[in-house]
Amino acid sequence: MADLTVAVEKPLTAPRRAPRSLLSRLPAAVVGCYLLVAVVGPPLVHYDPVHTSLDDRLLAPGARVSTGGTAWLGTDGLGRDLFAQIVYGARTAVLIGVSTVALSCLVGVLLGAVAGYFRGVADAVLARIFDVLLAFPAILLAIVIAGAFERSALLVVIALAATGWIGFARVTRGIALSLRERPWVDAARVLGVPGRTVLVRHVLPFTAGPIVALATLEFALVVLAEAGLSFLGIGLPPSTVSWGQTIANGKEYLETQWWISTLPGIALSLLIVNVGILGDQLTARYGRGRPG
C-alpha cells in the first residue's frame, strides 16, 4: 500500500522529446554548405566561362596549368577549370531554384487561396486549368517553352514555373476549404471583416508550414529540371555556367576523362538527395496543414 501511495503522489512529468540525431541534421547542413558556396564562392573564384585555354585541355585533377596554378578537379575539353564551373554552377542552381519556386509559390498561393476561400467561379476556373495543365507532363511542357524562344535565365524560370505553381495552388486551396468554415472565420465574417482581410489574417498563416515543406521539395525538382534543360542545350545560354552544361560537355570523354561529367554529376546528386530528405522531414512535420 505504501508503494502505491508513493506512486500516486509522485508528480507526473511530460515525457521528454528525444533529441534530434546528428544524422537527421545532416541534410540541412549539406544544403547550408551549398548555399554558402553559391553566395561566397563566385566572388572568391575567378572564372570566365567564355575564355578557353587549349594548352590546359583535359587535365586530370590536381594537374598544373599553364599559368602555374593547380586544376584541383581537372579541366574540360576547352581547358576550363572544373572546380570553378562547379562553384558557379551552384550559384546558378540556387538562383534558378529560388526564383522559380518563389514565382510558383506566389502564383499558386494567390490563386489557391482565392479559389478555396471564395469558391464560386474562381474555383471552377482553377479546377479546369488544373485539368488542362496536368494533361501534359511538366518536363515536356518546359522543353516546349524553352525550345521555342531564345535561351535565357528568365525563360528557364518561366518554363519551369508554368506547371510548378499547381502544387502550391492545390495545397493552399485544400487548406482554405478546411478553414473557411472554422468558428473564428465565421466570427470574423459576422463582425463585418472584409473577406480579403479574413483571408490574409485568418487563413493564409496556416498555409506557411505546408508551403515551406512543398517549396523545399519543389526546389529539388526545379534544380534537376534546369540541369536537364541545359544538358539538352535548350536551357541557359553558354555564358551562364550550369551543371547540366558541364555534364554535357564531358559526355564524349566519359571513358578517359571521366571527371568532367562525373564530378558535376556528384555535386548535383548530393544537392538533390539532401534537399529531398530535408523536404521529407519538413513535410512530416508541417505537411498536413492542420490549423492546430
Side-chain angles (χ1 to χ4, degrees), residues 76-129:
D76 63 5
L78 297 176
R80 296 174 297 189
D81 184 71
L82 202 60
F83 174 75
Q85 292 187 52
I86 293 177
V87 171
Y88 277 73
R91 180 185 65 175
T92 301
V94 170
L95 288 177
I96 295 296
V98 170
S99 301
T100 304
V101 170
L103 179 60
S104 301
C105 181
L106 178 64
V107 175
V109 169
L110 178 62
L111 294 179
V114 171
Y117 181 77
F118 294 104
R119 301 296 300 274
V121 178
D123 193 25
V125 171
L126 186 63
R128 301 291 78 79
I129 294 177

Tab-separated table of all heavy atoms in Angstrom, residues 76-129:
chain	number	residue	atom	x	y	z
A	76	ASP	N	38.147	20.757	-68.591
A	76	ASP	CA	37.299	20.118	-69.598
A	76	ASP	C	37.968	20.138	-70.961
A	76	ASP	O	39.161	20.435	-71.081
A	76	ASP	CB	35.931	20.805	-69.646
A	76	ASP	CG	36.018	22.264	-70.068
A	76	ASP	OD1	37.121	22.727	-70.410
A	76	ASP	OD2	34.971	22.942	-70.050
A	77	GLY	N	37.213	19.852	-72.001
A	77	GLY	CA	37.770	19.761	-73.339
A	77	GLY	C	38.232	21.077	-73.918
A	77	GLY	O	38.946	21.083	-74.930
A	78	LEU	N	37.861	22.188	-73.307
A	78	LEU	CA	38.298	23.504	-73.764
A	78	LEU	C	39.287	24.144	-72.796
A	78	LEU	O	39.604	25.325	-72.942
A	78	LEU	CB	37.093	24.433	-73.956
A	78	LEU	CG	36.092	24.000	-75.034
A	78	LEU	CD1	34.903	24.951	-75.066
A	78	LEU	CD2	36.761	23.943	-76.404
A	79	GLY	N	39.767	23.400	-71.830
A	79	GLY	CA	40.749	23.915	-70.887
A	79	GLY	C	40.174	24.737	-69.758
A	79	GLY	O	40.913	25.417	-69.046
A	80	ARG	N	38.881	24.684	-69.543
A	80	ARG	CA	38.251	25.473	-68.480
A	80	ARG	C	38.266	24.698	-67.166
A	80	ARG	O	38.041	23.488	-67.152
A	80	ARG	CB	36.812	25.829	-68.872
A	80	ARG	CG	36.741	26.733	-70.096
A	80	ARG	CD	35.325	26.957	-70.561
A	80	ARG	NE	34.697	25.712	-70.990
A	80	ARG	CZ	33.517	25.655	-71.612
A	80	ARG	NH1	32.846	26.776	-71.866
A	80	ARG	NH2	33.012	24.496	-71.984
A	81	ASP	N	38.514	25.417	-66.086
A	81	ASP	CA	38.670	24.783	-64.776
A	81	ASP	C	37.353	24.200	-64.297
A	81	ASP	O	36.316	24.876	-64.278
A	81	ASP	CB	39.187	25.814	-63.773
A	81	ASP	CG	39.472	25.183	-62.416
A	81	ASP	OD1	40.450	24.431	-62.318
A	81	ASP	OD2	38.699	25.445	-61.483
A	82	LEU	N	37.371	22.941	-63.890
A	82	LEU	CA	36.153	22.247	-63.489
A	82	LEU	C	35.691	22.661	-62.095
A	82	LEU	O	34.492	22.736	-61.830
A	82	LEU	CB	36.385	20.738	-63.534
A	82	LEU	CG	35.139	19.862	-63.666
A	82	LEU	CD1	34.392	20.207	-64.948
A	82	LEU	CD2	35.508	18.395	-63.643
A	83	PHE	N	36.628	22.943	-61.202
A	83	PHE	CA	36.255	23.385	-59.858
A	83	PHE	C	35.467	24.692	-59.920
A	83	PHE	O	34.448	24.856	-59.250
A	83	PHE	CB	37.511	23.554	-59.007
A	83	PHE	CG	37.243	24.137	-57.646
A	83	PHE	CD1	36.671	23.375	-56.641
A	83	PHE	CD2	37.559	25.462	-57.370
A	83	PHE	CE1	36.420	23.912	-55.393
A	83	PHE	CE2	37.312	26.011	-56.131
A	83	PHE	CZ	36.742	25.234	-55.136
A	84	ALA	N	35.943	25.629	-60.743
A	84	ALA	CA	35.243	26.902	-60.888
A	84	ALA	C	33.861	26.696	-61.499
A	84	ALA	O	32.893	27.366	-61.117
A	84	ALA	CB	36.068	27.858	-61.742
A	85	GLN	N	33.738	25.774	-62.444
A	85	GLN	CA	32.440	25.517	-63.047
A	85	GLN	C	31.453	24.953	-62.030
A	85	GLN	O	30.263	25.291	-62.053
A	85	GLN	CB	32.598	24.539	-64.214
A	85	GLN	CG	33.350	25.127	-65.403
A	85	GLN	CD	33.347	24.206	-66.600
A	85	GLN	OE1	32.302	23.744	-67.038
A	85	GLN	NE2	34.523	23.924	-67.145
A	86	ILE	N	31.930	24.095	-61.130
A	86	ILE	CA	31.042	23.546	-60.103
A	86	ILE	C	30.602	24.640	-59.134
A	86	ILE	O	29.433	24.698	-58.727
A	86	ILE	CB	31.744	22.393	-59.362
A	86	ILE	CG1	31.940	21.210	-60.312
A	86	ILE	CG2	30.945	21.959	-58.135
A	86	ILE	CD1	32.696	20.049	-59.692
A	87	VAL	N	31.522	25.529	-58.766
A	87	VAL	CA	31.179	26.623	-57.852
A	87	VAL	C	30.171	27.559	-58.493
A	87	VAL	O	29.148	27.924	-57.878
A	87	VAL	CB	32.453	27.385	-57.440
A	87	VAL	CG1	32.086	28.656	-56.672
A	87	VAL	CG2	33.355	26.500	-56.585
A	88	TYR	N	30.420	27.976	-59.727
A	88	TYR	CA	29.494	28.864	-60.417
A	88	TYR	C	28.191	28.149	-60.738
A	88	TYR	O	27.116	28.778	-60.765
A	88	TYR	CB	30.134	29.405	-61.692
A	88	TYR	CG	31.016	30.603	-61.466
A	88	TYR	CD1	32.258	30.480	-60.864
A	88	TYR	CD2	30.610	31.872	-61.851
A	88	TYR	CE1	33.076	31.579	-60.646
A	88	TYR	CE2	31.418	32.982	-61.649
A	88	TYR	CZ	32.650	32.830	-61.039
A	88	TYR	OH	33.441	33.926	-60.818
A	89	GLY	N	28.265	26.847	-60.991
A	89	GLY	CA	27.043	26.083	-61.222
A	89	GLY	C	26.158	26.023	-59.995
A	89	GLY	O	24.930	25.994	-60.105
A	90	ALA	N	26.771	26.008	-58.809
A	90	ALA	CA	25.986	26.043	-57.569
A	90	ALA	C	25.206	27.343	-57.461
A	90	ALA	O	24.031	27.351	-57.068
A	90	ALA	CB	26.907	25.863	-56.365
A	91	ARG	N	25.858	28.445	-57.806
A	91	ARG	CA	25.150	29.724	-57.774
A	91	ARG	C	23.992	29.736	-58.768
A	91	ARG	O	22.876	30.183	-58.452
A	91	ARG	CB	26.115	30.868	-58.101
A	91	ARG	CG	25.441	32.244	-58.073
A	91	ARG	CD	26.376	33.347	-58.514
A	91	ARG	NE	26.768	33.216	-59.917
A	91	ARG	CZ	27.503	34.109	-60.569
A	91	ARG	NH1	27.956	35.175	-59.941
A	91	ARG	NH2	27.802	33.935	-61.839
A	92	THR	N	24.223	29.209	-59.975
A	92	THR	CA	23.163	29.163	-60.973
A	92	THR	C	21.997	28.307	-60.501
A	92	THR	O	20.835	28.694	-60.636
A	92	THR	CB	23.709	28.604	-62.295
A	92	THR	OG1	24.777	29.431	-62.760
A	92	THR	CG2	22.615	28.551	-63.351
A	93	ALA	N	22.312	27.141	-59.935
A	93	ALA	CA	21.254	26.242	-59.461
A	93	ALA	C	20.419	26.898	-58.368
A	93	ALA	O	19.181	26.799	-58.373
A	93	ALA	CB	21.868	24.937	-58.965
A	94	VAL	N	21.079	27.571	-57.423
A	94	VAL	CA	20.359	28.220	-56.327
A	94	VAL	C	19.501	29.370	-56.842
A	94	VAL	O	18.332	29.516	-56.453
A	94	VAL	CB	21.344	28.702	-55.254
A	94	VAL	CG1	20.639	29.587	-54.227
A	94	VAL	CG2	21.999	27.517	-54.552
A	95	LEU	N	20.046	30.187	-57.736
A	95	LEU	CA	19.291	31.328	-58.259
A	95	LEU	C	18.077	30.875	-59.059
A	95	LEU	O	16.967	31.401	-58.873
A	95	LEU	CB	20.201	32.203	-59.130
A	95	LEU	CG	21.263	33.019	-58.392
A	95	LEU	CD1	22.133	33.791	-59.386
A	95	LEU	CD2	20.621	33.984	-57.408
A	96	ILE	N	18.275	29.902	-59.941
A	96	ILE	CA	17.152	29.415	-60.737
A	96	ILE	C	16.126	28.736	-59.838
A	96	ILE	O	14.908	28.935	-59.984
A	96	ILE	CB	17.648	28.437	-61.819
A	96	ILE	CG1	18.545	29.165	-62.826
A	96	ILE	CG2	16.467	27.797	-62.541
A	96	ILE	CD1	17.857	30.230	-63.631
A	97	GLY	N	16.599	27.939	-58.890
A	97	GLY	CA	15.680	27.236	-57.995
A	97	GLY	C	14.863	28.186	-57.145
A	97	GLY	O	13.635	28.050	-57.051
A	98	VAL	N	15.522	29.151	-56.528
A	98	VAL	CA	14.817	30.096	-55.659
A	98	VAL	C	13.850	30.959	-56.468
A	98	VAL	O	12.701	31.191	-56.049
A	98	VAL	CB	15.826	30.968	-54.903
A	98	VAL	CG1	15.123	32.112	-54.176
A	98	VAL	CG2	16.615	30.132	-53.892
A	99	SER	N	14.282	31.432	-57.631
A	99	SER	CA	13.418	32.290	-58.458
A	99	SER	C	12.187	31.537	-58.938
A	99	SER	O	11.062	32.059	-58.886
A	99	SER	CB	14.208	32.821	-59.660
A	99	SER	OG	15.336	33.565	-59.242
A	100	THR	N	12.384	30.311	-59.396
A	100	THR	CA	11.256	29.526	-59.894
A	100	THR	C	10.284	29.180	-58.783
A	100	THR	O	9.058	29.297	-58.942
A	100	THR	CB	11.761	28.239	-60.568
A	100	THR	OG1	12.682	28.574	-61.606
A	100	THR	CG2	10.606	27.449	-61.160
A	101	VAL	N	10.806	28.747	-57.643
A	101	VAL	CA	9.937	28.387	-56.521
A	101	VAL	C	9.194	29.624	-56.003
A	101	VAL	O	8.012	29.548	-55.659
A	101	VAL	CB	10.758	27.725	-55.401
A	101	VAL	CG1	9.918	27.573	-54.135
A	101	VAL	CG2	11.266	26.372	-55.851
A	102	ALA	N	9.878	30.764	-55.952
A	102	ALA	CA	9.218	31.987	-55.475
A	102	ALA	C	8.076	32.391	-56.407
A	102	ALA	O	6.978	32.747	-55.940
A	102	ALA	CB	10.240	33.120	-55.372
A	103	LEU	N	8.321	32.327	-57.723
A	103	LEU	CA	7.266	32.668	-58.681
A	103	LEU	C	6.116	31.676	-58.604
A	103	LEU	O	4.941	32.069	-58.593
A	103	LEU	CB	7.850	32.703	-60.090
A	103	LEU	CG	6.870	33.020	-61.226
A	103	LEU	CD1	6.228	34.385	-61.022
A	103	LEU	CD2	7.585	32.961	-62.580
A	104	SER	N	6.436	30.395	-58.541
A	104	SER	CA	5.394	29.366	-58.445
A	104	SER	C	4.594	29.522	-57.161
A	104	SER	O	3.358	29.384	-57.162
A	104	SER	CB	6.029	27.980	-58.501
A	104	SER	OG	6.755	27.782	-59.699
A	105	CYS	N	5.285	29.798	-56.064
A	105	CYS	CA	4.616	29.964	-54.775
A	105	CYS	C	3.692	31.170	-54.787
A	105	CYS	O	2.559	31.102	-54.301
A	105	CYS	CB	5.656	30.080	-53.673
A	105	CYS	SG	4.966	30.253	-52.011
A	106	LEU	N	4.171	32.280	-55.331
A	106	LEU	CA	3.360	33.497	-55.364
A	106	LEU	C	2.075	33.288	-56.150
A	106	LEU	O	0.976	33.608	-55.679
A	106	LEU	CB	4.179	34.638	-55.970
A	106	LEU	CG	3.463	35.984	-56.119
A	106	LEU	CD1	3.086	36.532	-54.757
A	106	LEU	CD2	4.352	36.980	-56.869
A	107	VAL	N	2.196	32.719	-57.344
A	107	VAL	CA	1.020	32.497	-58.192
A	107	VAL	C	0.116	31.428	-57.592
A	107	VAL	O	-1.110	31.597	-57.511
A	107	VAL	CB	1.458	32.105	-59.618
A	107	VAL	CG1	0.246	31.755	-60.479
A	107	VAL	CG2	2.247	33.236	-60.266
A	108	GLY	N	0.706	30.319	-57.155
A	108	GLY	CA	-0.098	29.217	-56.650
A	108	GLY	C	-0.842	29.545	-55.375
A	108	GLY	O	-2.026	29.220	-55.233
A	109	VAL	N	-0.157	30.179	-54.426
A	109	VAL	CA	-0.807	30.524	-53.156
A	109	VAL	C	-1.926	31.533	-53.379
A	109	VAL	O	-3.011	31.420	-52.796
A	109	VAL	CB	0.235	31.061	-52.158
A	109	VAL	CG1	-0.448	31.664	-50.932
A	109	VAL	CG2	1.184	29.949	-51.730
A	110	LEU	N	-1.684	32.515	-54.238
A	110	LEU	CA	-2.702	33.524	-54.509
A	110	LEU	C	-3.952	32.900	-55.133
A	110	LEU	O	-5.079	33.102	-54.647
A	110	LEU	CB	-2.134	34.601	-55.420
A	110	LEU	CG	-3.094	35.721	-55.852
A	110	LEU	CD1	-3.583	36.485	-54.628
A	110	LEU	CD2	-2.432	36.662	-56.834
A	111	LEU	N	-3.755	32.114	-56.186
A	111	LEU	CA	-4.908	31.509	-56.863
A	111	LEU	C	-5.593	30.464	-55.973
A	111	LEU	O	-6.823	30.398	-55.921
A	111	LEU	CB	-4.459	30.868	-58.175
A	111	LEU	CG	-3.950	31.822	-59.254
A	111	LEU	CD1	-3.519	31.050	-60.490
A	111	LEU	CD2	-5.014	32.851	-59.619
A	112	GLY	N	-4.806	29.648	-55.288
A	112	GLY	CA	-5.389	28.621	-54.442
A	112	GLY	C	-6.181	29.191	-53.283
A	112	GLY	O	-7.251	28.675	-52.930
A	113	ALA	N	-5.669	30.258	-52.669
A	113	ALA	CA	-6.372	30.873	-51.541
A	113	ALA	C	-7.687	31.511	-51.988
A	113	ALA	O	-8.721	31.345	-51.324
A	113	ALA	CB	-5.473	31.918	-50.878
A	114	VAL	N	-7.650	32.215	-53.101
A	114	VAL	CA	-8.872	32.852	-53.602
A	114	VAL	C	-9.908	31.802	-53.984
A	114	VAL	O	-11.094	31.918	-53.644
A	114	VAL	CB	-8.538	33.760	-54.802
A	114	VAL	CG1	-9.815	34.263	-55.467
A	114	VAL	CG2	-7.686	34.941	-54.347
A	115	ALA	N	-9.456	30.757	-54.694
A	115	ALA	CA	-10.402	29.728	-55.133
A	115	ALA	C	-10.969	28.948	-53.953
A	115	ALA	O	-12.166	28.640	-53.913
A	115	ALA	CB	-9.702	28.777	-56.103
A	116	GLY	N	-10.132	28.602	-52.975
A	116	GLY	CA	-10.600	27.803	-51.854
A	116	GLY	C	-11.479	28.566	-50.887
A	116	GLY	O	-12.417	27.995	-50.302
A	117	TYR	N	-11.226	29.846	-50.714
A	117	TYR	CA	-11.995	30.615	-49.733
A	117	TYR	C	-13.293	31.166	-50.330
A	117	TYR	O	-14.353	31.083	-49.719
A	117	TYR	CB	-11.155	31.765	-49.192
A	117	TYR	CG	-11.869	32.594	-48.148
A	117	TYR	CD1	-12.002	32.133	-46.839
A	117	TYR	CD2	-12.427	33.817	-48.478
A	117	TYR	CE1	-12.678	32.879	-45.888
A	117	TYR	CE2	-13.101	34.575	-47.531
A	117	TYR	CZ	-13.229	34.103	-46.242
A	117	TYR	OH	-13.909	34.854	-45.306
A	118	PHE	N	-13.206	31.743	-51.544
A	118	PHE	CA	-14.376	32.382	-52.127
A	118	PHE	C	-15.220	31.419	-52.966
A	118	PHE	O	-16.374	31.733	-53.269
A	118	PHE	CB	-13.949	33.578	-52.986
A	118	PHE	CG	-13.342	34.701	-52.197
A	118	PHE	CD1	-11.979	34.905	-52.195
A	118	PHE	CD2	-14.135	35.543	-51.427
A	118	PHE	CE1	-11.400	35.938	-51.469
A	118	PHE	CE2	-13.567	36.579	-50.699
A	118	PHE	CZ	-12.195	36.779	-50.716
A	119	ARG	N	-14.621	30.267	-53.363
A	119	ARG	CA	-15.309	29.258	-54.167
A	119	ARG	C	-15.897	29.908	-55.429
A	119	ARG	O	-15.291	30.765	-56.036
A	119	ARG	CB	-16.406	28.572	-53.339
A	119	ARG	CG	-15.933	27.879	-52.085
A	119	ARG	CD	-15.022	26.727	-52.400
A	119	ARG	NE	-15.649	25.720	-53.203
A	119	ARG	CZ	-16.375	24.708	-52.728
A	119	ARG	NH1	-16.554	24.611	-51.416
A	119	ARG	NH2	-16.907	23.811	-53.526
A	120	GLY	N	-17.059	29.467	-55.849
A	120	GLY	CA	-17.727	30.063	-56.995
A	120	GLY	C	-16.987	29.868	-58.304
A	120	GLY	O	-16.373	28.829	-58.573
A	121	VAL	N	-17.026	30.906	-59.137
A	121	VAL	CA	-16.444	30.863	-60.479
A	121	VAL	C	-14.933	30.680	-60.414
A	121	VAL	O	-14.349	29.944	-61.227
A	121	VAL	CB	-16.803	32.153	-61.250
A	121	VAL	CG1	-16.156	32.143	-62.629
A	121	VAL	CG2	-18.313	32.288	-61.383
A	122	ALA	N	-14.281	31.340	-59.465
A	122	ALA	CA	-12.825	31.243	-59.369
A	122	ALA	C	-12.390	29.804	-59.134
A	122	ALA	O	-11.428	29.321	-59.758
A	122	ALA	CB	-12.315	32.140	-58.238
A	123	ASP	N	-13.089	29.093	-58.288
A	123	ASP	CA	-12.740	27.702	-58.004
A	123	ASP	C	-12.988	26.817	-59.216
A	123	ASP	O	-12.195	25.922	-59.529
A	123	ASP	CB	-13.556	27.210	-56.812
A	123	ASP	CG	-13.035	25.890	-56.272
A	123	ASP	OD1	-11.840	25.597	-56.465
A	123	ASP	OD2	-13.818	25.151	-55.655
A	124	ALA	N	-14.090	27.051	-59.917
A	124	ALA	CA	-14.402	26.254	-61.104
A	124	ALA	C	-13.384	26.474	-62.212
A	124	ALA	O	-12.931	25.521	-62.869
A	124	ALA	CB	-15.807	26.598	-61.601
A	125	VAL	N	-12.980	27.723	-62.426
A	125	VAL	CA	-11.984	28.024	-63.472
A	125	VAL	C	-10.643	27.407	-63.118
A	125	VAL	O	-9.953	26.829	-63.979
A	125	VAL	CB	-11.860	29.551	-63.658
A	125	VAL	CG1	-10.685	29.881	-64.580
A	125	VAL	CG2	-13.153	30.120	-64.226
A	126	LEU	N	-10.229	27.517	-61.840
A	126	LEU	CA	-8.944	26.950	-61.433
A	126	LEU	C	-8.939	25.425	-61.592
A	126	LEU	O	-7.927	24.844	-62.005
A	126	LEU	CB	-8.657	27.309	-59.973
A	126	LEU	CG	-7.281	26.906	-59.447
A	126	LEU	CD1	-6.192	27.635	-60.213
A	126	LEU	CD2	-7.159	27.205	-57.956
A	127	ALA	N	-10.066	24.789	-61.308
A	127	ALA	CA	-10.139	23.335	-61.480
A	127	ALA	C	-9.961	22.939	-62.936
A	127	ALA	O	-9.296	21.944	-63.254
A	127	ALA	CB	-11.480	22.827	-60.942
A	128	ARG	N	-10.528	23.710	-63.851
A	128	ARG	CA	-10.360	23.405	-65.275
A	128	ARG	C	-8.914	23.636	-65.729
A	128	ARG	O	-8.389	22.899	-66.570
A	128	ARG	CB	-11.305	24.285	-66.105
A	128	ARG	CG	-12.774	24.136	-65.788
A	128	ARG	CD	-13.339	22.766	-66.206
A	128	ARG	NE	-12.989	21.700	-65.290
A	128	ARG	CZ	-13.599	21.484	-64.118
A	128	ARG	NH1	-14.566	22.289	-63.697
A	128	ARG	NH2	-13.245	20.471	-63.356
A	129	ILE	N	-8.282	24.667	-65.173
A	129	ILE	CA	-6.874	24.904	-65.511
A	129	ILE	C	-6.023	23.745	-65.021
A	129	ILE	O	-5.094	23.298	-65.713
A	129	ILE	CB	-6.406	26.241	-64.896
A	129	ILE	CG1	-7.139	27.412	-65.540
A	129	ILE	CG2	-4.897	26.413	-65.081
A	129	ILE	CD1	-6.789	28.758	-64.930
